[in-house]
């Protein structure tokens, strides 16, 4: 199989990086993401995992990918996929606005980029939160990490995180 790549961008800031899909380690997830591209939406900076930005999108796979190539300790440049139910993230305490933006009975997919070290996917409410590592940044992580730090300090309002075929 030919290598496949995605561009990951913070659109308002005009910053992007390129990631290689890990088809050999997470083939089901990679195919589901690839077929659904482009994907994106409002960006959030993680509260628990430390050095993570992510966007929430509606489920897009015909069947939820299995937990392939899992991690609870993502490294810089990892792209991760998480599937959550509406009850896991659909409460105001998660900070997605005054009303839950996740419709009852529908799940949500979290597509994340980890940009620095020392991440741990442990949520105080639910415990370990393993993610599927489906890609790794091969170009531009330094620029993206700088923009992610700016996002953390200056705020995410009005910024979008996008994933597109490269």
């Amino acid at each position: 199989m030919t290598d496949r790549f995605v561009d990951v961008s913070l659109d308002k800031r005009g910053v992007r990086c390129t990631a290689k899909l890990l088809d050999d380690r997470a083939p089901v997830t990679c195919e589901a993401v690839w077929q659904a591209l482009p994907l994106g939406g409002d960006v959030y900076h993680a509260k628990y995992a430390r050095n993570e930005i992510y966007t929430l999108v509606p489920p897009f796979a015909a069947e939820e990918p299995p937990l392939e190539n899992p991690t609870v300790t993502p490294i810089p440049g990892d792209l991760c996929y998480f599937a959550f139910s509406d009850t896991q993230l659909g409460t105001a305490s998660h900070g997605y606005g005054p009303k839950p933006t996740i419709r009852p009975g529908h799940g949500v997919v979290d597509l994340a980029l980890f940009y620095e070290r020392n991440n741990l996917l442990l949520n105080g409410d639910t415990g370990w939160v393993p993610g599927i590592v489906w890609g790794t940044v091969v170009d531009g992580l330094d620029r993206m990490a700088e923009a992610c730090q700016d996002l953390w300090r200056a705020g995410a309002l009005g910024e979008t995180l996008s994933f597109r075929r490269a």
Side-chain angles (χ1 to χ4, degrees):
M1 176 180 258
T2 305
D3 289 341
R4 299 188 289 182
F5 297 88
V6 295
D7 281 333
V8 181
S9 61
L10 288 170
D11 300 318
K12 183 177 168 185
R13 286 172 170 78
V15 178
R16 71 171 191 81
C17 59
T18 303
K20 179 183 180 284
L21 271 65
L22 300 176
D23 285 302
D24 58 330
R25 297 181 184 182
V28 176
T29 306
C30 288
E31 186 60 21
V33 171
W34 187 256
Q35 292 306 320
L37 293 174
L39 293 164
D42 291 344
V43 67
Y44 301 94
H45 199 288
K47 290 182 178 181
Y48 297 106
R50 292 194 183 143
N51 302 300
E52 172 195 1
I53 62 169
Y54 64 97
T55 190
L56 301 173
V57 298
F60 50 81
E63 191 171 310
E64 190 58 42
L67 188 58
E68 53 186 359
N69 200 28
T71 190
V72 292
T73 55
I75 62 173
D78 278 352
L79 298 183
C80 289
Y81 175 108
F82 304 89
F84 295 106
S85 71
D86 59 323
T87 57
Q88 287 173 300
L89 296 185
T91 64
S93 66
H94 278 85
Y96 298 116
K99 295 182 181 178
T101 57
I102 301 163
R103 298 180 314 159
H106 294 82
V108 66
V109 171
D110 170 332
L111 294 177
L113 164 68
F114 291 84
Y115 63 88
E116 187 51 79
R117 300 174 58 123
N118 299 321
N119 302 295
L120 184 63
L121 302 178
L122 180 60
N123 180 302
D125 296 330
T126 61
W128 296 107
V129 184
I132 299 168
V133 182
W134 60 273
T136 185
V137 174
V138 295
D139 182 54
L141 183 59
D142 54 342
R143 295 184 306 272
M144 184 60 81
E146 194 173 302
C148 291
Q149 282 295 324
D150 180 64
L151 184 93
W152 174 248
R153 300 277 297 141
L157 198 59
E159 181 63 88
T160 56
L161 177 62
S162 298
F163 298 82
R164 296 177 183 88
R165 292 182 184 186

